[in-house]
Amino acid sequence: MSEPFEPKIVAFVCTYCTYAGADLAGTSRLKYAPNVRIVRLPCTGRISPMFILKALQKGADGVLVSGCHPGDCHFTHGNYHARRRWTVFRALLEFTGIPLERVKFSWISAAEGGKFADFMNSVTEDIRKLGPFDQYQGLINETEAPATL
Amino acid sequence: MSIQEQYKKRVRELLSSGAVKMVIGYQAGTTADRRRPLFIRTPEEAEKLVLDSACIANLSGYLVTEGLLSDEKSVGIFLRPDGIRSINILAAEAQLNPEQVVILGFDGNDKEVTALQGEKARDFSAIIASIKEHAPEAPRNPQLEQIEKMSPKERFAFWQAEFSRCIKCYACRQACPMCYCRRCIVDSNQPQWVNTSSHTLGNLEWNVVRAFHLSGRCVGCGNCDRACPVNIPLRLINAKMAGEVLGAFDHFAGMSETQEPVLASFKKDDSETFIL
Ligand code: SF4
Ligand code: SF4
């Protein structure tokens, strides 16, 4: 009997807003899907598109990127830079045929524990419906010498 | 006097007066329709110069050769408008001092070339501005429209078929004037971001990374596309990304020597409809 599909999701979040939001979700004892692995970074400005590719390369079914709302960045404008980068990177992913439903972006503040939990749940559900990222898995399987972390 | 003879004379003048130490131009190539770069250091060598519609390579990348401009002497260079835009980007990104670059500008179609008036990159700003203005209504590559109409699955399959031929020779990178990094991200191995083997995954990653790093910087000169030994249509990705940055941020690469790079600047009201 095969096990039911559980999506693997990687979330890249900034430490000042979304990670604090995740903390708030935890301390408020909100339950959310355990499929999300969080990687904490100092700022959304530090989240290179390479991270997204790396997560997919290592078999993620979905990737989330989240940080402070515009105007709230701890470093004043890291998120504005990130936003431009995401706009461009997203267009590129779309053009090369990577489904955009698998790479999501959001702003979640330190006060939005509820939004964090809801977002994790809804993305997990969406990706569960999409199923495993077979297209990418096919590429990974063809690679004889996978890149190291 | 033909434009070629006119420019030969100009090159001789520039070199004999000492205004430049070298002129980078074109000479006959291995076949009748090919040209290869020519590095002219003495007035006599100007005789070898060829200037016609087959001169299509963007030569600006030679200017960032290590040490070439470090003696603060000037270098002359033959450039089409896309090459002049490259000079603006290289200047804006602090890779060269535009005062050291004497431009021998020309433009044309596949039949003939005409001279462009000016000497410094900024002298051509009106020409570049008019190219930008006409960019939205310029005819688009029909294949680009076709790909945009595909479903994501079909697009993925299309690009997999293209990228599967990539042999990771990095000729596209070497040929690109904007790819001047001493250490490219694909050469870094701690961590190893991109698979080095030329399997499909690494090929996809490499091509995505290359296109991303050139978004808002590519001038569409076609050097990469012509260099690719397996004919991957890099022009399609480049054109797509140039259209994206123009549409989203009104950014046209290489407008001036002080233009802010699109991914190193922002506006507070940049669109963000996709962010939840
Ligand atoms: S990416 Fe290709 S077309 Fe664009 S500037 Fe570089 S060589 Fe020219
Ligand atoms: S020139 Fe073509 S084959 Fe070589 S690395 Fe670039 S895309 Fe791949």
Side-chain angles (χ1 to χ4, degrees), chain A residues 1-33:
Chain A
M1 214 176 76
S2 64
E3 283 183 31
F5 167 63
E6 279 300 333
K8 278 202 283 288
I9 299 170
V10 179
F12 296 104
V13 305
C14 81
T15 185
Y16 291 98
C17 294
T18 305
Y19 193 82
D23 237 0
L24 182 63
T27 46
S28 322
R29 307 215 174 264
L30 297 175
K31 265 206 173 147
Y32 63 90

Side-chain angles (χ1 to χ4, degrees), chain B residues 57-62 86 169-180 210 214 221-228 234:
Chain B
N58 177 355
L59 302 176
S60 58
Y62 292 111
S86 304
C169 62
Y170 304 133
C172 45
R173 175 186 77 186
Q174 298 313 113
C176 178
M178 310 328 302
C179 275
Y180 53 71
R210 191 200 68 84
L214 286 154
C221 64
N223 273 14
C224 53
D225 198 276
R226 287 186 295 270
C228 181
L234 299 172

Side-chain angles (χ1 to χ4, degrees), chain B residues 194-239:
Chain B
V194 174
N195 273 288
T196 46
S197 59
S198 56
H199 287 93
T200 39
L201 178 59
N203 291 354
L204 168 71
E205 290 167 332
W206 157 240
N207 278 283
V208 166
V209 171
R210 191 200 68 84
F212 180 69
H213 287 174
L214 286 154
S215 300
R217 304 173 63 239
C218 169
V219 296
C221 64
N223 273 14
C224 53
D225 198 276
R226 287 186 295 270
C228 181
V230 294
N231 297 324
I232 296 173
L234 299 172
R235 67 190 127 13
L236 295 176
I237 309 185
N238 296 335

Side-chain angles (χ1 to χ4, degrees), chain B residues 15 87-89 92 118 126-127 130 133 141 166 170 174 186 196 208 213 217-218 228 240 244 266 272-275:
Chain B
L15 284 163
I87 301 294
N88 280 333
I89 302 174
I127 297 172
S130 97
E133 210 163 297
N141 187 320
C166 177
Y170 304 133
Q174 298 313 113
V186 290
T196 46
V208 166
H213 287 174
R217 304 173 63 239
C218 169
C228 181
K240 173 71 186 174
E244 287 294 325
F266 64 87
E272 55 165 55
T273 47
F274 64 94
I275 302 178

